[in-house]
């Protein structure tokens, strides 16, 4: 066995990564009202409380609407930008792409605050819609990163071949480009969806009276009484994201198998 | 016989590129560039009661920079960000190295998958879990007192250290992935060449692997350092509100105090500080970033 | 082996002063040439010479900065690639990885009004033509390199184009399959009578396959001729160097008339060449004579030259199995010249350092000046 030290470190690191997550179900099923050891006993009460919470239901609905819209719009904008950056050369490209990718490193609070000022300035009422505006901005760079990989692994001569064989530019896109980058599009949508579902700061500033899942969670974290329910919610979210990620990974591998391409790495 | 100028333009690659990028670019201009411009403009406006007076002034900057609270918060933010970046990258490098060089090829995606799963679960809850772990009656203290290692539970929350650990956890995949990508790009024959030329494994790592991995390390530093300085949630939850960072101050001024020009000036100031530090860091590492791509 | 194309065949493709700029880079510098109908035509040159760009102007993938490309007498400047009577075999073959072999081959028939049964038959015929009968249902990405090329050929030919364009189609194949495909392509071209335009950087491939070859350097056609003319009468040292091996010796022109040029060549002595042995392009430099390795013969013990002979020493011997290359230092010349000798049965391979005589003939020389 090679590098036992590194291997040991890697497993310790995994424990560090997973410790907070493993604790979630432990406290979610613990009948004690205080999040502390020793554990009291087994209960499903917190899940009961979770599923009968009307505000939470509203928050989930809002978040899903926002996340689905973000996934669609960010991926659409991502397709245009990824296509432009992988296929065309034009003056000013690094600057243009730099601006589009800027939210990747820009602290979200800056995005949130600046958007808030503009929206208030032109008198747009804060709502789910304004959250979508912000989330699309924040998720598009991630979508582009995923789609860039998909588009740049696409051989340009495939499109030329279809065009050469009599197809138009649009039918070439539909018949050749789209099917081949579809796994990338699916990944991009899943990523944008997940980012939006989890995003707190922008929603915190731009949602107005509306509540989203993260803003609801944040508001509840100050009430110790509510924490066990949040643990139950966290458990559900972890399971949901593992299921989603597994589907995404499966779709990606199937896409690779279908076109005989080389497996070039993980979901991210 | 030859095509018209308009047709020429329409066929030109640059024109098609602009057309293709325009939807995304227009969105970025409207939703990002313009608002950022607004923030800069606001930071030079006067704050009136309940409204903003559109009059040019340096007042906000003077007020911010002479405020000892702002100085302390900015200093703390930079310090925490640097600490987080250091811890995150130092912990991430061996993991990235492990996945790239030790893990067999067919298991690499599995490892990357394992690394990224925690990242996909609720950020707020992950941060809060560190409170559960580090609490006075939390996981670590329960274990320590239970095993009799300490008599009194340790006070770990509400400290820069706790904030650092929490953020280092939150940004782990952001550091691991760029380093992993640059390690993967290293042609393995370079390492064999290093060994072949008589270098020890450690010197080969030092003289070949590390310099070639530097673009990834620099990328990791950037992608951890810049957003961390603007983190709002962790100081709030783990710092217990007693150790605010710039984001908390911006939020205070923008929403609670409703002094948008001052909030803008703080936002612009902290972004400038971040930008300067980032540029200095990039400049110091410029020799690693040259060369093909 | 070479069948000469009758020069009275109609023109299929015509380049008129074609210029192409990429920003400041001048990729095509005023190309004017004609490709005849039914011809196997090659664009040969080193990478970056503009040969692929020129091919892509025929296909319509590259718009030209000025000039015109005509196909079958029609100006193509307003005809996009999908409306041109040309089809292309790409360097990477561009086989659609998500489709089957049959779907790939039948891709261009989507807008064809024929019934699907007729189309399926056309696909099967096209596959048969390239020796892939029965491969239709297979996944395209599972095919080998040689098979992919055949799929690409069938896919391009099924539309019965007036011109088939081939962009370095053999470069990804290993030597054995490459040589096999070369022969098959020649046969296919004869059978179909379609104009083939091949881009290659491999001079041997161009010589083997083409009716005519355009040798390109730096965005210009340096020489356009049939393979034999190119090989025997290169019009410049550069073309001579690019196609096969040529020895060069400095020469001094001593006298010149309409019927001959008299030269003094160190190592070979005084000699005369006829005007048709003088390369068309003058480079302005010093005069040199060039000769191919096989135009010289090593004389063995007791043999005499039928024409002229020159003494020398063997500098280097390179054994190739069927051939042996000798680098020989002729007396009075410092740079060695290369001679190729067929290793016929009973002929020994000589050693380095042996003193030998070389037979040569002034008629085989080319004079560059």
């Amino acid at each position: 066995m090679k590098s036992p030290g590194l291997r040991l470190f890697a497993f310790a690191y995994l424990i560090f990564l997973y410790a907070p997550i493993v604790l979630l179900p432990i406290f979610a099923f613990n009948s004690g009202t205080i999040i502390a050891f020793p554990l009291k006993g087994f209960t499903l009460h917190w899940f009961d409380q979770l599923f009968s919470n009307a505000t939470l239901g509203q928050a989930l609905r809002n978040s899903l609407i926002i996340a689905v819209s973000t996934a669609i719009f960010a991926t659409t904008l991502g397709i245009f930008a990824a296509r432009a950056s992988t296929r065309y050369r034009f003056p000013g490209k690094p600057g243009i792409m730099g601006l589009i990718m800027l939210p990747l490193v820009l602290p979200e609070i800056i995005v949130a605050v600046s958007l808030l000022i503009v929206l208030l300035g032109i008198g747009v009422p804060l709502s789910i819609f304004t959250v979508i505006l912000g989330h699309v901005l924040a998720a598009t760079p991630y979508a582009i990163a995923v789609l860039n990989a998909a588009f740049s692994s696409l051989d340009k001569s495939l499109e030329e071949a279809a065009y050469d064989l009599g197809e138009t530019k649009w039918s070439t896109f539909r018949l050749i480009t789209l099917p081949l980058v579809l796994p990338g599009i699916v990944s991009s949508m899943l990523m944008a969806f997940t980012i939006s579902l989890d995003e707190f700061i922008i929603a915190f500033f731009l949602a107005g009276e509306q509540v989203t899942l993260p803003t609801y969670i944040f508001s509840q974290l100050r009430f110790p009484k509510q924490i066990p329910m949040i643990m139950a919610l966290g458990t559900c979210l972890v399971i949901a994201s593992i299921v989603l990620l597994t589907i995404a990974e499966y779709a990606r591998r199937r896409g690779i198998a279908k076109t005989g391409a080389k497996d070039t790495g993980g979901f991210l | 016989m030859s095509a018209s100028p308009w047709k020429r333009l329409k066929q030109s690659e640059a024109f098609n590129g602009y057309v293709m990028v325009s939807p995304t670019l227009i969105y970025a201009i409207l939703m990002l560039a313009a608002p950022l411009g607004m923030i800069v403009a606001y930071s030079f406006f006067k704050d009136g009661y309940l409204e903003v007076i559109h009059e040019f002034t340096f007042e906000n900057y003077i007020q911010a920079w002479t405020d000892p609270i702002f100085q302390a918060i900015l200093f703390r933010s930079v310090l925490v960000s640097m600490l987080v970046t250091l811890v995150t990258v130092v912990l991430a490098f061996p993991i990235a190295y492990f996945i790239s060089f030790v893990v067999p090829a067919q298991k690499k995606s599995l490892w990357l998958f394992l690394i990224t799963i925690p990242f996909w679960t609720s950020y707020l809850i992950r941060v809060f879990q560190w409170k559960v772990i580090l609490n006075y009656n939390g996981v670590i203290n329960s274990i320590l007192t239970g095993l009799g290692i300490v008599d009194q539970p340790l006070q770990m929350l509400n400290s820069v250290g706790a904030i650092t650990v929490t953020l280092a956890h939150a940004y782990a995949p952001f550091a691991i992935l760029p380093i992993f990508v640059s390690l993967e790009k290293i042609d393995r024959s370079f390492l064999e060449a290093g060994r072949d030329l008589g270098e020890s494994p450690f010197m080969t790592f030092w003289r070949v692997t590390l310099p070639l991995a530097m673009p990834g390390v620099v990328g990791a530093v950037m992608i951890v350092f810049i957003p961390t300085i603007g983190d709002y949630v962790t100081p709030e939850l783990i710092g217990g509100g007693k150790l605010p960072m710039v984001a908390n101050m911006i939020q205070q001024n923008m929403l609670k105090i409703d002094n948008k020009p001052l909030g803008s000036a703080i936002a612009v100031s902290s972004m400038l500080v971040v930008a300067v530090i980032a540029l200095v860091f990039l400049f110091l590492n410029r020799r690693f970033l040259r060369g093909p791509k | 082996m070479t069948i000469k194309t009758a020069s009275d065949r109609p023109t299929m493709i015509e380049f008129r002063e074609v210029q192409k700029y990429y920003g400041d880079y001048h990729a095509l510098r005023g190309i004017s040439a004609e490709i005849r109908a039914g011809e196997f035509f090659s664009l040969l040159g080193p990478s970056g010479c503009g040969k692929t760009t020129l091919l892509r102007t025929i296909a319509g993938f590259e718009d030209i900065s000025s000039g015109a490309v005509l196909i079958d007498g029609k100006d193509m400047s307003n005809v996009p690639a999908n409306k041109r009577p040309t089809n292309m075999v790409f360097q990477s073959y561009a086989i659609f990885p998500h489709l089957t072999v049959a779907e790939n081959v039948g891709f261009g028939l989507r807008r064809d009004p024929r019934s699907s049964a007729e189309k399926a038959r056309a696909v099967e015929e096209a596959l048969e033509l390239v020796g892939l009968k029965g491969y239709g249902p297979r996944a395209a990405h599972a095919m080998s390199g040689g098979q992919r090329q055949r799929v690409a050929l069938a896919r391009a030919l099924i539309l019965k184009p007036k011109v088939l364009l081939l962009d370095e189609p053999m470069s990804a194949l290993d030597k054995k399959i490459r040589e096999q495909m070369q022969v098959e392509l020649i046969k296919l071209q004869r059978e179909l009578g379609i104009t083939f335009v091949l881009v290659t950087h491999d001079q041997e491939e161009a010589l083997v396959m083409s009716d005519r070859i355009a040798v390109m350097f730096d965005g210009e056609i340096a020489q356009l001729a049939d393979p034999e003319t190119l090989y025997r009468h290169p019009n410049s040292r550069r073309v001579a160097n690019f196609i096969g091996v040529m020895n060069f010796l400095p020469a001094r022109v001593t006298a010149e008339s309409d019927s001959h040029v008299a030269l003094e060549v160190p190592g070979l002595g005084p000699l005369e060449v006829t005007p048709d042995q003088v390369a068309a392009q003058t480079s302005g430099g010093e005069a040199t004579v060039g000769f191919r390795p096989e135009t010289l013969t090593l004389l063995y013990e007791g043999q005499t030259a039928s024409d002229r002979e020159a003494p020398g020493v063997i500098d280097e011997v390179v054994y190739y199995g069927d051939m042996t290359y000798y680098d020989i230092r002729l007396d009075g010349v410092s740079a060695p010249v290369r001679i190729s000798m067929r290793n016929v049965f009973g002929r020994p391979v000589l050693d380095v350092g042996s003193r030998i005589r070389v037979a040569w003939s002034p008629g085989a020389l080319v004079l560059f000046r």
Side-chain angles (χ1 to χ4, degrees):
Chain A
M1 188 153 282
K2 245 172 54 179
S3 342
L6 258 185
R7 199 170 286 272
L8 200 67
F9 177 78
F11 283 108
Y13 194 83
L14 279 188
I15 292 171
F16 166 66
L17 277 187
Y18 278 86
I21 290 155
V22 172
L23 289 173
L24 276 175
I26 293 178
F27 290 114
F29 292 107
N30 177 29
S31 59
T33 49
I34 300 166
I35 303 300
F37 288 109
L39 300 173
K40 291 267 161 57
F42 180 83
T43 179
L44 288 176
H45 174 70
W46 311 122
F47 286 90
D48 237 24
Q49 196 185 340
L50 182 70
F51 294 127
S52 55
N53 186 325
T55 322
L56 181 62
Q58 184 57 43
L60 182 65
R61 260 194 302 283
N62 284 346
S63 272
L64 286 178
I65 292 169
I66 294 168
V68 169
S69 315
T70 302
I72 292 167
F73 289 120
T75 301
T76 309
L77 290 178
I79 288 172
F80 282 110
R83 178 84 181 161
S85 90
T86 52
R87 265 298 175 275
Y88 298 95
R89 280 168 303 178
F90 46 91
K93 185 164 141 183
I96 289 171
M97 292 313 293
L99 174 68
I100 292 169
M101 298 301 275
L102 189 60
L104 204 60
V105 289
L106 206 60
E108 276 173 343
I109 184 121
I110 302 288
V111 174
V113 164
S114 55
L115 260 177
L116 178 75
I117 283 190
V118 168
L119 292 172
L120 291 182
I122 54 178
V124 178
L126 298 179
S127 66
I128 291 178
F129 174 71
T130 49
V131 178
I132 294 172
L133 287 181
H135 279 187
V136 169
L137 189 67
T140 301
Y142 291 91
I144 293 172
V146 172
L147 291 165
N148 258 346
F151 275 111
S152 59
S153 66
L154 184 72
D155 181 2
K156 188 180 177 182
S157 59
L158 290 175
E159 291 170 349
E160 286 181 343
Y163 193 51
D164 185 55
L165 292 167
E167 295 299 337
T168 62
K169 286 204 163 139
W170 165 242
S171 64
T172 296
F173 186 79
R174 188 169 59 80
L175 293 169
I176 302 300
T177 317
L178 207 56
L180 290 175
V181 298
L182 196 63
I185 290 176
V186 172
S187 295
S188 158
M189 290 184 91
L190 279 169
M191 184 170 267
F193 177 87
T194 320
I195 287 170
S196 167
L197 200 64
D198 192 31
E199 204 289 327
F200 167 67
I201 290 287
I202 293 174
F204 186 52
F205 276 82
L206 301 183
E209 301 295 305
Q210 296 289 342
V211 61
T212 69
L213 209 52
T215 59
Y216 176 76
I217 292 172
F218 187 74
S219 70
Q220 298 305 301
L221 285 177
R222 72 186 67 175
F223 305 119
K225 205 164 63 79
Q226 299 284 44
I227 302 303
M229 186 193 75
I230 297 297
M231 294 289 149
L233 175 60
T235 308
C236 295
L237 288 175
V238 167
I239 291 166
S241 54
I242 288 176
V243 169
L244 258 178
L245 279 173
T246 312
I247 292 171
E249 180 68 13
Y250 176 76
R252 193 184 67 84
R253 290 201 181 167
R254 238 192 51 173
I256 286 168
K258 212 170 90 184
T259 56
K262 239 183 88 204
D263 192 340
T264 48
F267 177 53
L268 243 171
Chain B
M1 193 119 113
S2 68
S4 68
W6 170 240
K7 202 171 159 133
R8 276 275 146 82
L9 177 68
K10 257 175 53 178
Q11 281 176 349
S12 86
E13 188 174 332
F15 179 81
N16 281 307
Y18 287 129
V19 169
M20 191 57 82
V21 82
S22 60
T24 321
L25 179 62
I26 289 168
Y27 193 84
I29 289 172
L30 289 180
M31 295 294 156
L32 184 65
L36 288 178
M38 280 292 271
I39 277 243
V40 174
Y42 259 65
S43 69
F44 291 107
F45 287 158
K46 271 189 182 157
D47 181 49
Y49 182 67
L50 287 182
E51 60 169 353
V52 172
I53 301 161
H54 292 209
E55 237 173 82
F56 183 86
T57 174
F58 278 114
E59 196 56 41
N60 303 306
Y61 285 98
I62 295 166
Q63 195 188 334
W65 283 92
T66 52
D67 178 5
I69 297 175
F70 172 70
Q71 290 168 4
I73 286 177
L74 187 63
F75 178 74
R76 180 187 300 127
S77 302
V78 171
L79 181 76
V80 166
S81 284
M82 283 180 168
L83 264 177
V84 169
T85 308
L86 185 73
V87 170
T88 313
V89 173
V90 166
L91 289 181
F93 193 94
I95 294 299
Y97 185 88
F98 173 75
I99 300 173
S100 181
F101 281 81
V102 180
V103 172
Q106 68 274 18
K107 282 198 179 155
K108 281 182 185 175
S109 349
L110 178 71
W111 269 89
L112 289 178
F113 196 55
L114 279 176
I115 297 286
T116 41
I117 281 181
F119 164 72
W120 289 112
T121 58
S122 170
Y123 178 65
L124 283 172
I125 293 179
R126 256 183 302 148
V127 169
F128 185 79
Q129 286 304 96
W130 281 101
K131 191 172 178 177
V132 171
I133 294 171
L134 301 172
N135 225 343
Y136 193 73
N137 53 1
V139 176
I140 291 180
N141 276 326
S142 304
I143 293 169
L144 291 180
T145 49
L147 293 176
I149 297 171
V150 293
D151 307 328
Q152 283 289 312
L154 302 173
Q155 175 59 44
M156 287 178 287
L157 276 181
N158 305 345
S159 68
V160 168
I163 294 179
T164 306
V165 169
T166 307
L167 285 171
H169 181 262
Y171 283 92
F174 285 111
I176 294 172
L177 290 172
I179 300 173
F180 171 76
V181 168
S182 65
L183 285 172
E184 279 290 278
K185 278 190 196 150
I186 297 176
D187 188 337
R188 298 307 194 249
S189 60
F190 288 167
L191 310 181
E192 286 165 6
R195 296 301 304 280
D196 186 56
L197 295 169
E199 291 285 26
S200 67
F202 176 74
M203 284 311 284
T204 303
F205 173 82
W206 185 250
R207 292 182 59 186
V208 183
T209 313
L210 195 58
L212 289 172
M214 274 314 276
V217 173
V218 171
V221 167
M222 289 290 125
I223 213 163
V224 175
F225 178 75
I226 301 175
T228 311
I229 211 165
D231 191 83
Y232 172 84
V233 175
T234 308
E236 201 72 15
L237 291 178
I238 301 293
K242 295 177 188 73
L243 295 165
M245 287 173 41
V246 281
N248 311 77
M249 196 172 181
I250 294 170
Q251 189 262 348
Q252 283 276 327
N253 278 292
M254 285 292 179
L255 299 183
K256 280 218 181 92
I257 305 172
D258 194 26
N259 185 341
K260 296 206 169 62
L262 183 59
S264 301
I266 293 168
V268 172
S269 301
S270 45
M271 284 322 295
L272 282 177
V273 169
V274 172
V276 167
I277 295 172
L279 288 176
V280 167
F281 182 78
L282 286 177
F283 180 76
L284 292 177
N285 286 287
R286 65 196 180 283
R287 75 187 181 92
F288 297 115
L289 305 174
R290 254 188 262 121
K293 206 161 184 269
Chain C
M1 167 86 185
T2 318
I3 295 176
K4 287 270 157 55
T5 314
S7 53
D8 55 348
R9 284 219 192 140
T11 300
M12 177 54 79
I13 298 170
E14 187 183 348
F15 300 107
R16 285 188 191 157
E17 270 300 308
V18 173
Q19 306 267 1
K20 171 74 187 177
Y21 288 89
Y22 291 109
D24 291 336
Y25 180 65
H26 202 170
L28 297 176
R29 298 162 181 261
I31 303 279
S32 290
E34 290 181 9
I35 298 172
R36 297 175 195 133
E39 187 171 38
F40 199 126
F41 192 91
S42 291
L43 298 168
L44 172 68
S47 58
C49 72
K51 56 188 192 301
T52 297
T53 307
L54 190 60
L55 187 82
R56 290 166 63 84
T57 64
I58 307 175
F61 295 134
E62 216 73 69
D63 52 324
I64 54 179
S65 308
S66 70
V69 177
L70 285 77
I71 300 177
D72 209 10
K74 284 196 257 322
D75 183 5
M76 288 289 133
S77 42
N78 287 314
V79 184
N82 55 348
K83 304 274 189 255
R84 294 195 184 190
T86 61
N87 285 114
M88 183 132 147
V89 173
F90 291 82
Q91 185 169 13
S92 63
Y93 309 140
I95 301 299
F96 306 130
H98 57 309
L99 304 178
T100 64
V101 168
E103 284 168 339
N104 262 282
V105 173
F107 190 86
L109 298 179
R110 204 169 68 90
R111 287 149 197 275
D112 194 307
R114 280 182 287 174
S115 75
S116 55
E118 279 174 295
K119 287 189 205 174
R121 198 156 52 243
V123 168
E124 201 47 44
E125 277 168 18
L127 282 172
E128 203 173 337
L129 189 68
V130 297
L132 286 181
K133 193 164 188 277
Y135 279 77
R138 296 210 187 177
H141 64 77
M143 305 288 272
S144 73
Q147 290 171 327
R148 277 165 190 246
Q149 191 189 41
R150 290 161 193 268
V151 175
L153 258 175
R155 186 177 70 182
L157 289 172
I158 202 167
L159 293 174
K160 305 210 176 345
K162 287 179 179 163
V163 181
L164 183 74
L165 306 170
L166 302 118
D167 184 9
E168 306 231 11
M170 251 72 84
S171 61
L173 302 178
D174 50 33
K175 195 164 179 279
K176 274 262 161 63
I177 299 175
R178 183 161 67 223
E179 283 168 359
Q180 187 190 340
M181 281 310 294
Q182 286 173 355
V183 175
E184 285 190 37
L185 267 180
I186 299 167
K187 278 192 191 155
L188 200 61
Q189 195 264 340
R190 299 240 172 88
E191 215 174 293
L192 299 170
I194 294 174
T195 311
F196 276 35
V197 183
L198 171 82
V199 159
T200 181
H201 64 268
D202 181 343
Q203 44 98 12
E204 205 175 310
E205 185 170 290
L207 290 178
V208 168
M209 301 179 76
S210 322
D211 294 320
R212 290 195 307 152
I213 301 169
V215 181
M216 293 183 68
F217 296 118
D218 305 324
E220 286 174 311
I221 294 180
Q223 187 170 7
L224 197 166
D226 62 273
E228 202 180 332
T229 309
L230 268 185
Y231 191 77
R232 294 203 176 185
H233 305 290
N235 65 3
S236 66
R237 278 187 65 156
R238 204 170 176 193
V239 170
N241 242 336
F242 192 73
I243 296 180
V245 178
M246 191 171 253
N247 295 297
F248 295 100
L249 288 174
R252 199 164 52 82
V253 178
T254 51
E256 204 169 344
S257 73
D258 286 348
S259 61
H260 68 267
V261 182
L263 303 166
E264 174 68 41
V265 181
L268 298 180
L271 61 97
E272 284 180 2
V273 295
T274 55
D276 68 310
Q277 285 173 262
V278 181
Q281 285 185 7
T282 51
S283 53
E286 280 172 38
T288 46
V289 290
F291 45 94
R292 300 286 186 191
E294 69 277 8
T295 59
L296 277 74
T297 314
L298 230 160
L299 291 173
Y300 285 81
E301 204 78 11
Q303 285 181 310
T304 49
S306 54
D307 197 342
R308 312 265 298 255
E309 60 176 75
V313 179
I314 297 179
D315 203 42
E316 189 68 70
V317 179
V318 185
Y319 181 71
Y320 270 88
D322 60 336
M323 306 280 286
T324 304
Y325 285 110
Y326 295 97
D327 286 349
I328 289 170
R329 215 176 281 279
L330 295 174
D331 290 0
V333 185
S334 56
V337 296
R338 175 157 282 199
I339 293 179
S340 65
M341 293 292 287
R342 193 147 273 294
N343 289 335
V344 294
F345 179 71
R347 181 185 282 174
V349 175
L350 298 178
D351 293 328
V352 172
S354 313
R355 263 208 85 75
I356 40 83
R357 291 166 301 130
V358 169
W360 62 280
S361 167
L365 298 180
V366 183
L367 172 64
F368 302 97
R369 50 197 299 196

